Amino acid sequence: MGKYYNKNKDYTPPVGDEIFLLKMGEMVLKGLNRRSFEERLMGNARRRLQKFGKFRIYSRQSITYVEPQSLDCDMDGAFDTLAKLFGVVGLSRAKACEKTPEAILETAKSYLYDDLMEANTFKVESKRSDKSFPLSSIQLSQYVGGELDDAFPHLQADMHTPDVVVHVEVRDFAAYVHANPTLGAGGLPVGVGGKAVSLLSGGIDSPVASWMMAKRGLALEMVHFFSYPYTSPEAKEKVLELARLITPWCGRLTVHVVPFTEIQEELRRSCPEDLFTLLMRRFMMRISEQVAHRIGAHALVTGESLGQVASQTMEAMAVTNAVCTLPVFRPVVGMDKEEIIRIARKIGTFETSILPYEDCCTVFTPRHPKTRPSMEEILEAEANLDIDGLIQRAVDGIERVTMG
């Protein structure tokens, strides 16, 4: 195994020689900040992989290496988890070998035997990051491809749409052989964009909105408004299940469950029916902002989509925004329902979202909600409410549930 050591005398081959290669996307364009993005990615990976065994994780040349440190590591569980790690655009299970053409060929034959036997066509793509390697990338591909063609007579070379692509990477510490990479989650590592509070209902849109902002590097905590007895304990459990389902993508989550019954009952008693939903949304934003200040978050996230319901017109959003000092991110605002549903299916939240348990947004729904409110009529409706007292009692009653 001496060829492993030509760049770093302290390097030791991974246990079992199989490792994961994580390819970074837009992170490589971050210039002087790139290392901080890589550190965040590696830290997120370490936390997610703890339950699967002990792994060594390090980054070199736009690749993050994940190496098992014992033979009892759960490689399948670890791979599934890494496929949901934001910041990674592609990942592969790879076999490490000595940096010689002969060792690379034998590794390709043995490690990719099943892939090659099941395929009809193939090609070889090589990348030589270690320029001291005696063959160029093209020469290495020609050598490995020619020998594989002889070793597997049923295979035909296809440079355009092959069934299997044999990837060979000659890097600092070793050579690595793998087959077709798996598409990664993309985006940026969770946490590099700061922290935000996401309003999580029991519907389809808000889990998707949360996932989309986590993909852009936001660490999230959730706020859910619970109106017992108008909404059932099953409705609350449904929302907590949605939080569990997006935890593998977003990392550890805390859900702040806000008692909202008193506020909704007071609005029904004291305010015009057609403004009820808008006034309720303003209370939600005020409370969410208080939660954000308490936990050091600097933005709010909602699942609003322009024109989808009466409270999601431009005028309605304007009166909702007016109570906020923090920015409000609405990542699905320009998407139609089918686009949102496609993402919900992809991330595994759709089937839970459509379970028939109502959330607080459906409580006391006005028959004819106002779609183009003026600020004057909103302020007039709120004039006789004890806004501060209602908010304080709701915040004092928050239940916190941690996922992951």
Side-chain angles (χ1 to χ4, degrees):
M1 302 292 284
K3 292 290 183 179
Y4 277 113
Y5 295 89
N6 65 342
K7 285 283 185 172
N8 188 327
K9 293 181 180 179
D10 296 327
Y11 179 72
T12 56
V15 174
D17 287 344
E18 188 178 46
I19 74 168
F20 302 125
L21 301 179
L22 311 182
K23 304 292 179 73
M24 293 175 273
E26 61 184 286
M27 289 168 53
V28 302
L29 305 175
K30 296 302 180 183
L32 296 177
N33 293 321
R34 174 175 161 180
R35 188 59 189 170
S36 65
F37 282 73
E38 292 176 345
E39 292 287 351
R40 178 70 71 166
L41 176 69
M42 290 188 288
N44 291 346
R46 288 188 188 98
R47 284 189 293 276
R48 307 274 184 93
L49 294 181
Q50 284 178 353
K51 61 184 176 182
F52 300 109
K54 185 177 180 182
F55 292 85
R56 179 182 178 225
I57 302 173
Y58 59 96
S59 290
R60 298 286 190 282
Q61 297 176 317
S62 303
I63 297 288
T64 296
Y65 299 81
V66 181
E67 299 179 354
Q69 298 296 286
S70 64
L71 292 173
D72 62 354
C73 288
D74 179 358
M75 297 294 281
D76 292 335
F79 188 82
D80 290 343
T81 291
L82 292 171
K84 296 179 174 67
L85 185 68
F86 288 130
V88 176
V89 297
L91 64 159
S92 303
R93 290 178 77 145
K95 185 81 167 179
C97 66
E98 296 182 25
K99 292 194 287 186
T100 67
E102 297 78 15
I104 291 169
L105 174 61
E106 290 307 312
T107 300
K109 286 181 180 179
S110 60
Y111 183 58
L112 301 180
Y113 179 83
D114 290 342
D115 298 272
L116 294 169
M117 287 301 294
E118 292 174 5
N120 294 314
T121 58
F122 84 109
K123 74 172 180 177
V124 179
E125 291 186 356
S126 300
K127 182 174 183 178
R128 184 190 63 154
S129 299
D130 178 2
K131 301 306 179 185
S132 67
F133 188 77
L135 301 181
S136 68
S137 297
I138 293 175
Q139 290 171 330
L140 181 57
S141 292
Q142 290 173 338
Y143 167 72
V144 174
E147 294 295 325
L148 289 179
D149 190 57
D150 291 340
F152 297 86
H154 71 288
L155 285 176
Q156 296 291 321
D158 183 344
M159 299 299 107
H160 302 291
T161 56
D163 296 330
V164 63
V165 179
V166 176
H167 291 267
V168 176
E169 303 188 31
V170 183
R171 295 188 170 273
D172 281 357
F173 302 132
Y176 304 94
V177 177
H178 60 93
N180 302 341
T182 296
L183 190 66
L188 297 173
V190 170
V192 297
K195 182 186 287 188
V197 166
S198 186
L199 282 70
L200 185 65
S201 71
I204 298 169
D205 303 340
S206 59
V208 170
S210 301
W211 179 86
M212 291 177 69
M213 294 314 303
K215 186 175 181 179
R216 296 312 304 160
L218 282 186
L220 297 175
E221 295 198 16
M222 306 297 182
V223 170
H224 174 64
F225 296 90
F226 182 53
S227 294
Y228 183 80
Y230 302 107
T231 53
S232 66
E234 289 81 6
K236 174 183 170 183
E237 286 305 314
K238 170 185 171 180
V239 171
L240 295 179
E241 178 60 19
L242 288 172
R244 291 187 191 98
L245 290 171
I246 61 175
T247 295
W249 303 91
C250 303
R252 178 179 293 181
L253 293 176
T254 296
V255 182
H256 302 255
V257 182
V258 180
F260 206 54
T261 306
E262 181 188 3
I263 291 173
Q264 290 194 296
E265 289 179 336
E266 182 61 28
L267 292 177
R268 183 176 63 168
R269 278 194 300 269
S270 306
C271 300
E273 181 189 8
D274 62 344
L275 298 178
F276 178 85
T277 301
L278 295 170
L279 297 171
M280 178 185 70
R281 293 289 299 175
R282 280 164 65 88
F283 271 96
M284 288 180 172
M285 301 302 276
R286 291 180 178 110
I287 292 169
S288 299
E289 190 161 276
Q290 285 213 14
V291 173
H293 290 315
R294 286 187 174 192
I295 66 172
H298 296 97
L300 305 180
V301 178
T302 78
E304 293 164 290
S305 174
L306 186 63
Q308 190 175 119
V309 296
S311 63
Q312 294 175 15
T313 64
M314 283 193 293
E315 294 86 349
M317 290 182 189
V319 300
T320 300
N321 269 23
V323 300
C324 300
T325 59
L326 296 178
V328 180
F329 297 141
R330 296 178 169 92
V332 303
V333 70
M335 299 170 67
D336 63 37
K337 201 66 176 184
E338 288 305 313
E339 292 173 304
I340 298 170
I341 288 173
R342 278 197 295 270
I343 297 176
R345 291 187 186 277
K346 170 184 174 180
I347 66 177
T349 57
F350 177 74
E351 296 299 330
T352 300
S353 291
I354 62 174
L355 291 174
Y357 301 119
E358 295 182 331
D359 61 34
C360 71
C361 293
T362 61
V363 175
F364 311 140
T365 303
R367 289 164 293 180
H368 303 290
K370 193 87 169 183
T371 58
R372 288 177 169 76
S374 67
M375 188 59 68
E376 291 75 15
E377 61 185 333
I378 291 291
L379 294 176
E380 182 180 351
E382 290 180 338
N384 295 321
L385 296 174
D386 178 16
I387 293 174
D388 292 340
L390 289 167
I391 290 173
Q392 190 61 54
R393 288 190 291 278
V395 170
D396 289 343
I398 286 176
E399 174 193 0
R400 294 168 181 83
V401 182
T402 299
M403 308 290 171

